[in-house]
Amino acid sequence: WRSQQKAINEGLLEEKSLVISMPTSAGKTKMAELVIFKALKDNPEKICVYIVPTRALAAEVEETLSNNLRKMKIGVSILYGGYDFNIYEEELMIENRVFVLTPEKLDLLLRIKEDFKNRIALIIIDEVHNAASSSLRSLRTELIFARLFHVAELNQAKIICLSAVIQNPSDFAKWISGNENNKVTIDWSPTKQRYGLFEWFMDISATVRYLPQENDFPQEKFYVPLLFNKNEL
């Protein structure tokens, strides 16, 4: 995809850290797979941490990454929970090399697992803009990331930050790399957003009629039929 080509042309697979601003569905998972493979293929002792804001997103990311990375013998696992750790997770840390986790879980591991901390070669932060929102959790996340970036500096680890809605990528780029130009802004997406008007017809069927776009699909009479009645809603 042209979004992935642009990211590669602007340094995705180089040694530098990057902030990547891109629309939803523009191909970030494949970008992550490429970066992970590049970072870990010649470094069997190294690991990647993939940080997400929620457990639900962690499960989605783990499943998606596993489908391709396990074919290349790179194990992917979720480390669930917050500030707790168990024997099962200890086994996962031995068997895998990519760990999908929340900031709170990462914070715990940085505190209690010196070997884990020293093996980090790649850091991917999804939805990085959450670290700058106005909430107590965001403040805590920002402090966790600051400590993580110190680890990255000691390990000479690469950092990739991803976001679809980040407003100040230059500030984040300077935060993670010291260079405000270490950013890639991608506007292209394989899909288009359309606004539609939901309309009932005699309470037994409905349509979603999309607004016409100048010189583009859909046209004036385009609609999607929906067959159900109000009692089913």
Side-chain angles (χ1 to χ4, degrees):
W1 287 359
R2 68 184 68 172
S3 53
Q4 296 157 344
Q5 292 173 350
K6 181 177 182 181
I8 291 173
N9 291 338
E10 296 189 19
L12 178 69
L13 300 180
E14 297 174 9
E15 297 301 319
K16 63 182 179 181
S17 297
L18 284 174
V19 173
I20 302 178
S21 173
M22 59 191 302
T24 302
S25 302
K28 70 177 181 181
T29 301
K30 186 60 65 180
M31 293 183 197
E33 290 173 359
L34 291 170
V35 175
I36 292 169
F37 183 70
K38 174 82 163 39
L40 301 186
K41 70 182 180 68
D42 295 327
N43 299 285
E45 300 303 316
K46 299 299 184 179
I47 61 174
C48 165
V49 291
Y50 194 118
I51 306 156
V52 295
T54 66
R55 293 187 185 187
L57 183 55
E60 179 183 328
V61 168
E62 188 270 343
E63 180 180 6
T64 304
L65 291 179
S66 291
N67 287 337
N68 285 325
L69 291 178
R70 66 186 175 190
K71 300 173 186 176
M72 296 177 279
K73 302 188 184 306
I74 297 177
V76 181
S77 182
I78 298 176
L79 295 179
Y80 279 116
Y83 290 92
D84 59 312
F85 192 73
N86 56 50
I87 296 176
Y88 172 69
E89 291 174 325
E90 188 82 55
E91 291 296 321
L92 292 177
M93 293 180 68
I94 295 172
E95 297 173 0
N96 297 287
R97 298 179 61 204
V98 179
F99 301 98
V100 185
L101 66 177
T102 60
E104 290 79 8
K105 193 68 172 188
L106 173 69
D107 187 28
L108 174 70
L109 295 176
L110 293 179
R111 294 172 186 271
I112 69 172
K113 291 292 181 181
E114 193 71 17
D115 179 62
F116 175 89
K117 180 171 68 175
N118 294 337
R119 293 172 62 205
I120 296 174
L122 175 64
I123 299 162
I124 301 177
I125 304 176
D126 209 345
E127 310 287 350
V128 69
H129 56 272
N130 284 316
S133 62
S134 55
S135 70
L136 290 177
R137 190 187 184 213
S138 292
L139 175 60
R140 185 167 62 245
T141 297
E142 181 180 344
L143 295 174
I144 293 169
F145 287 171
R147 195 157 59 249
L148 176 64
F149 297 160
H150 177 65
V151 172
E153 184 177 2
L154 294 176
N155 292 4
Q156 295 185 319
K158 180 184 177 78
I159 304 169
I160 297 292
C161 295
L162 303 170
S163 176
V165 297
I166 191 169
Q167 298 296 314
N168 54 339
S170 296
D171 293 335
F172 275 86
K174 190 170 184 179
W175 186 30
I176 68 170
S177 68
N179 186 345
E180 64 180 13
N181 295 316
N182 282 18
K183 62 183 179 180
V184 180
T185 302
I186 297 167
D187 297 323
W188 180 85
S189 172
T191 59
K192 295 182 179 181
Q193 289 186 330
R194 291 288 186 259
Y195 293 97
L197 176 64
F198 183 92
E199 297 176 319
W200 279 108
F201 177 73
M202 297 179 65
D203 291 347
I204 57 173
S205 65
T207 63
V208 177
R209 190 175 302 279
Y210 290 92
L211 302 178
Q213 303 291 314
E214 185 176 356
N215 299 320
D216 197 4
F217 180 84
Q219 301 301 320
E220 184 78 36
K221 296 181 180 180
F222 178 79
Y223 67 92
V224 177
L226 304 172
L227 302 177
F228 48 69
N229 58 54
K230 288 185 177 180
N231 293 334
E232 296 174 340
L233 299 181

